[in-house]
Amino acid sequence: MFESLSDRLSGIFDKLTGRGALSENDVNEAMREIRRALIEADVALPVVRSFTDKVRNRAVGAEVVKSITPGQMVVKIVHDQLVEMLGGDSVGGGIDLNAPAPVAIMMVGLQGSGKTTTTSKIARRLTQRDKRKVLMASLDTRRPAAQEQLKVLGEQNGVDTLPIIEGQGPVEIAKRAMTAARLGGYDVVMLDTAGRIHIDEPLMVEMAEVKAAANPHEILLVADALTGQDAVNLAQSFDERVGITGIALTRMDGDGRGGAALSMQAVTGKPVKLIGTGEKSDALEDFYPKRIADRILG
Ligand code: GDP
C-alpha cells in the first residue's frame, strides 16, 4: 500500500557515495520523506513538525557507522526517536490498580470511539486474567440503550453491572456505583461515561463532575486509531479539562498506521496503555512502542 520509508530513504541516499558525517543537505532531503511518511501514517501536523526537528538535530553531523549506509543510518535515528516518543522500552503497562479498593477507572472519549466495548474488554481481562472482582456502570444516560448495552456485555463476559435505575443522572450513578462497590467488596469499578459527537463544554463539565464524585485512580481516554489529525485536539482537550492518566487506542486492527498513538502521547505526555484490535471481547492488547514505531515507519 505504501512505499516504506526505509526504501524511500535508501533511494535518496543511494546517490551519496561518501561516508562520514551526515550533512545538513542530506538530512533536509530525508526530512521531506520523513514528513510525508508521518503524514501518511496520520500523525498530526504539529507533532510531525516537532518530530522532524528532533530528528534533524540528532541526524545532522551524526557519524555514519561503516557497516550501514547513510539511508539506514537516518532510518535508525527516525526509529529510535519514534520509540522514545512512544514510551521507550516500556510496555504500555496496562491498568494501574495500586490504590485502596474499590479502585475507580473512568473511561472517557467521544461517542463511537469504542468506549463501552473497551470498558467491557478491560473488565473481562481484570476478572479472568487478574482475578479481580469488577463492577461496571454505564453513566451514559443520553444515548438510548447505552446502559443496556453494557449490561449485555457484562452478562456475556461474566462481569457484574450496576442495576439500572431510570431517571438518575451520571453523577448519581457514579456515586451509587462507588457505594455498591464498597458494600459488595469489589476491587474495581469501571465507569463508562457518555460521549458526544464532538468535544463540547457540557461534556467537559459532566466529566469533571463525575471525576469529583468518583475520585478515579485511572482516567483512560478511549480514542479511535483512525482519527488521525483530530487526535491531538481530542487528547489535549480531555487532558486539560479532565486530566487523563492514559490512553486506550481502538481499531488498531484497521488499515491505519497508528500515527494517532504518537500524536496523543506527544501532546499529553500520557502513555497509550492498551490497544483494541477487534470487536470481540478478548481483542485487547498491551501497547508495545517498538511495534507501533515499525508500523508508522511502514
Ligand atoms: P462508544 O460509543 O464509544 O461506547 O463505542 P462502542 O463501544 O459502542 O463501539 C462502537 C463500535 O466500534 C462497535 O461496533 C464496536 O464493536 C466497535 N469497536 C470498538 N473497539 C473496536 C476495535 O478495537 N476494533 C474494531 N474493529 N472495532 C471496534
Side-chain angles (χ1 to χ4, degrees):
M1 181 169 53
F2 303 100
E3 190 192 354
S4 84
L5 183 61
S6 325
D7 291 345
R8 285 191 213 156
L9 291 178
S10 300
I12 292 175
F13 286 105
D14 272 353
K15 48 184 187 280
L16 293 176
T17 44
R19 292 288 160 98
L22 294 173
S23 78
E24 190 148 4
N25 271 348
D26 305 338
V27 172
N28 281 343
E29 199 168 342
M31 243 12 100
R32 264 200 301 279
E33 291 301 328
I34 294 165
R35 205 172 292 128
R36 227 167 64 193
L38 293 177
I39 289 168
E40 276 174 10
D42 255 349
V43 178
L45 291 173
V47 178
V48 171
R49 246 170 257 131
S50 70
F51 182 85
T52 46
D53 285 348
K54 287 195 178 100
V55 170
R56 184 181 286 112
N57 288 340
R58 271 167 96 149
V60 173
E63 284 295 324
V64 179
V65 187
K66 284 229 160 45
S67 55
I68 60 175
T69 67
Q72 288 166 336
M73 178 80 188
V74 176
V75 169
K76 185 181 174 333
I77 292 170
V78 171
H79 189 266
D80 289 352
Q81 185 65 41
L82 273 176
V83 172
E84 192 181 310
M85 285 175 75
L86 289 166
D89 287 332
S90 64
V91 185
I95 306 293
D96 177 11
L97 295 180
N98 202 2
V103 181
I105 301 170
M106 181 174 163
M107 308 292 287
V108 303
L110 294 180
Q111 197 174 305
S113 58
K115 221 174 328 88
T116 302
T117 312
T118 308
T119 300
S120 144
K121 285 176 179 177
I122 293 173
R124 178 184 196 268
R125 187 198 243 210
L126 292 175
T127 304
Q128 296 192 356
R129 192 193 70 179
D130 304 333
K131 311 293 175 215
R132 307 293 173 132
K133 191 175 172 191
V134 183
L135 179 67
M136 298 194 290
S138 168
L139 277 50
D140 189 348
T141 53
R142 290 168 54 92
R143 189 162 60 88
Q147 298 189 69
E148 191 65 29
Q149 182 192 350
L150 190 68
K151 182 175 168 225
V152 170
L153 287 168
E155 283 164 3
Q156 285 169 0
N157 292 296
V159 180
D160 293 343
T161 46
L162 187 73
I164 299 169
I165 298 180
E166 296 294 334
Q168 283 199 331
V171 173
E172 275 175 290
I173 301 174
K175 286 182 178 161
R176 187 158 59 87
M178 296 313 294
T179 306
R182 240 170 254 124
L183 296 175
Y186 286 88
D187 301 308
V188 179
V189 183
M190 307 251 354
L191 302 172
D192 180 20
T193 64
R196 301 281 197 282
I197 309 272
H198 304 289
I199 297 167
D200 62 18
E201 189 56 24
L203 174 66
M204 292 303 167
V205 170
E206 182 176 313
M207 294 305 107
E209 287 173 356
V210 168
K211 180 183 176 184
N215 189 25
H217 187 60
E218 288 264 28
I219 301 179
L220 294 184
L221 172 63
V222 179
D224 182 339
L226 307 176
T227 51
Q229 301 287 329
D230 290 333
V232 157
N233 286 341
L234 181 77
Q236 213 159 20
S237 300
F238 273 100
D239 197 34
E240 279 169 13
R241 294 297 303 273
V242 192
I244 62 172
T245 58
I247 298 157
L249 209 53
T250 61
R251 300 209 175 84
M252 285 298 282
D253 50 312
D255 283 340
R257 300 260 297 271
L262 180 69
S263 305
M264 296 201 290
Q265 292 196 105
V267 295
T268 62
K270 306 293 163 56
V272 175
K273 296 197 164 199
L274 297 160
I275 60 172
T277 53
E279 299 200 38
K280 294 217 181 94
S281 296
D282 60 353
L284 182 74
E285 295 176 13
D286 289 322
F287 178 78
Y288 289 93
K290 279 196 175 129
R291 284 187 203 161
I292 305 297
D294 289 341
R295 185 161 165 167
I296 291 175
L297 274 178

